[in-house]
Amino acid sequence: MTQSLSENLPPSHQDTKNFNAFLRALVTWWLMQRPLQTGSQPLRLLLAILLAGCAVLERAPLPTATIQWPTPRAGELAPGALREWPNDASPMVFVSSGHFLQGARPDDELASDNERPQHAVYITGFWIDKTEVTNARYAKCVAAGACRPPLANGSHSRDHYFDDPAYADYPVIFVSWFDARDYCLWAGKRLLTEAEWERAARGDDGRRWPWGDTWDGAKANFCDSNCVHRWRNESVSDGHTDTAPVGFYPAGASSFGALDMAGNVWEWVADEYAAYSADPGIDPLIFDGADIKVLRGGSYDFVAPGLRATYRYEDDATHRQDSFGFRCAVDRP
């Protein structure tokens, strides 16, 4: 059994057209009933303009809504099911099949234009790394000759980071999109699509941050009072000047159990950066070889608006910075 797209979109454009038609009929009737009187011409002109506007809206084409959602197969794993991926000994959680509205909600005053329009997307169930890829896991790929080392051994506030065992469970940084891709391939995985990332972060209820709609600085590693930037939030202190150990904020987990989806490090995803379309889609992926890729999730040097689950950042695929990391995905069996 399939499900119609119209069951999962915001209020119908057809409802708007019906209202316009009703309003136009009402105003037309009023004009016909009222004789032309001295001083009434400005009002009649205003109503005529209103009629013209209603007519234009009525003639606007309805968005196509003929897509039919796939039906999740019987016996699919429960959302948030946990497993260990053998190739790199990483914990993964399951994101179940389903549809959601990708992009910022109309009432999100913090949203940028590139987070809109909101559009319906269906995602086939998949596994996602529970945390960002760590220094220790990435080092194994380097040792195997499948990955190149990060651009630098240090971090923003440390002279030694990647090569220091004390930071083995911290997210790897100074990696490009190509480095992230190579690691995921070595581990028998792949990069997430942008839509997969957002669904894993937001769940099905369209939340602003992975944990909900209300900002809580205790649930993510962001630019708090320890941050060196002038835009830091002085009201919170977690003791981290830059990166934190992966999984350090369990209360900030998404509804699927993915950790650090807000803050810590930016996460490369598979897609090229492009403006959103209003059209619905099934497992969308924008990939045509362009150099500008998408990063998601914010980082330790961003504040609350940049950690929202719909926030989009883009950069050249070759860039390796001290706040760029990633996580991987695996198709369901």
Side-chain angles (χ1 to χ4, degrees):
M1 179 178 179
T2 54
Q3 193 167 24
S4 170
L5 169 65
S6 61
E7 295 175 2
N8 308 288
L9 287 176
S12 171
H13 289 242
Q14 185 62 61
D15 292 341
T16 302
K17 288 190 174 187
N18 291 342
F19 176 77
N20 288 334
F22 169 76
L23 181 62
R24 186 165 63 88
L26 180 64
V27 173
T28 301
W29 175 85
W30 186 90
L31 287 173
M32 293 177 64
Q33 299 300 315
R34 304 284 296 180
L36 182 61
Q37 298 177 354
T38 303
S40 67
Q41 193 63 30
L43 176 60
R44 298 178 72 88
L45 178 60
L46 180 62
L47 292 173
I49 293 173
L50 177 62
L51 284 177
C54 290
V56 169
L57 288 173
E58 283 183 59
R59 288 194 296 270
L62 282 171
T64 57
T66 58
I67 190 170
Q68 295 291 309
W69 296 133
T71 300
R73 67 183 184 185
E76 184 170 83
L77 293 168
L82 183 67
R83 69 171 296 178
E84 181 177 285
W85 188 248
N87 297 26
D88 62 354
S90 59
M92 305 190 80
V93 292
F94 188 69
V95 178
S96 56
S97 300
H99 42 71
F100 77 111
L101 291 174
Q102 183 178 8
R105 299 186 313 224
D107 63 347
D108 190 345
E109 72 281 0
L110 299 176
S112 303
D113 289 343
N114 72 348
E115 300 173 45
R116 295 186 172 115
Q118 196 173 61
H119 52 286
V121 172
Y122 180 91
I123 296 296
T124 302
F126 66 98
W127 293 93
I128 180 177
D129 285 341
K130 187 173 183 177
T131 69
E132 295 145 341
V133 173
T134 63
N135 283 325
R137 294 192 187 109
Y138 192 82
K140 293 179 180 178
C141 185
V142 173
C147 295
R148 64 175 176 172
L151 177 64
N153 278 325
S155 71
H156 181 78
S157 64
R158 312 171 184 102
D159 293 332
H160 293 276
Y161 177 75
F162 179 69
D163 59 350
D164 188 337
Y167 302 108
D169 291 332
Y170 285 62
V172 67
I173 55 175
F174 282 120
V175 288
S176 70
W177 181 91
F178 295 101
D179 296 329
R181 178 204 61 184
D182 290 347
Y183 175 91
C184 292
L185 290 174
W186 169 79
K189 304 178 181 180
R190 60 172 174 79
L191 283 172
L192 288 87
T193 68
E194 185 175 15
E196 286 175 338
W197 191 99
E198 187 169 322
R199 176 167 160 78
R202 301 182 75 189
D204 292 327
D205 51 2
R207 54 187 64 179
R208 272 180 158 186
W209 291 276
W211 55 83
D213 285 338
T214 303
W215 168 252
D216 187 343
K219 294 181 178 178
N221 182 19
F222 76 113
C223 192
D224 63 4
S225 61
N226 300 286
C227 185
V228 299
H229 300 299
R230 57 179 174 78
W231 54 81
R232 61 185 176 271
N233 185 330
E234 298 280 2
S235 66
V236 180
S237 174
D238 59 13
H240 300 294
T241 303
D242 52 57
T243 57
V246 300
F248 190 80
Y249 302 87
S254 76
S255 62
F256 293 107
L259 301 172
D260 306 319
M261 298 294 280
N264 216 14
V265 294
W266 288 101
E267 300 178 14
W268 289 109
V269 295
D271 299 60
E272 267 86 46
Y273 176 76
Y276 281 155
S277 167
D279 295 335
I282 297 174
D283 294 325
L285 169 64
I286 301 173
F287 189 86
D288 58 10
D291 293 332
I292 304 302
K293 310 294 185 182
V294 179
L295 298 110
R296 286 302 206 104
S299 68
Y300 64 82
D301 55 3
F302 264 58
V303 287
L307 273 65
R308 290 176 304 110
T310 58
Y311 190 87
R312 308 174 74 205
Y313 185 66
E314 75 279 359
D315 206 335
D316 191 284
T318 63
H319 285 180
R320 297 190 282 174
Q321 297 190 21
D322 60 5
S323 60
F324 287 5
F326 67 99
R327 73 178 76 210
C328 305
V330 172
D331 293 330
R332 69 181 186 187

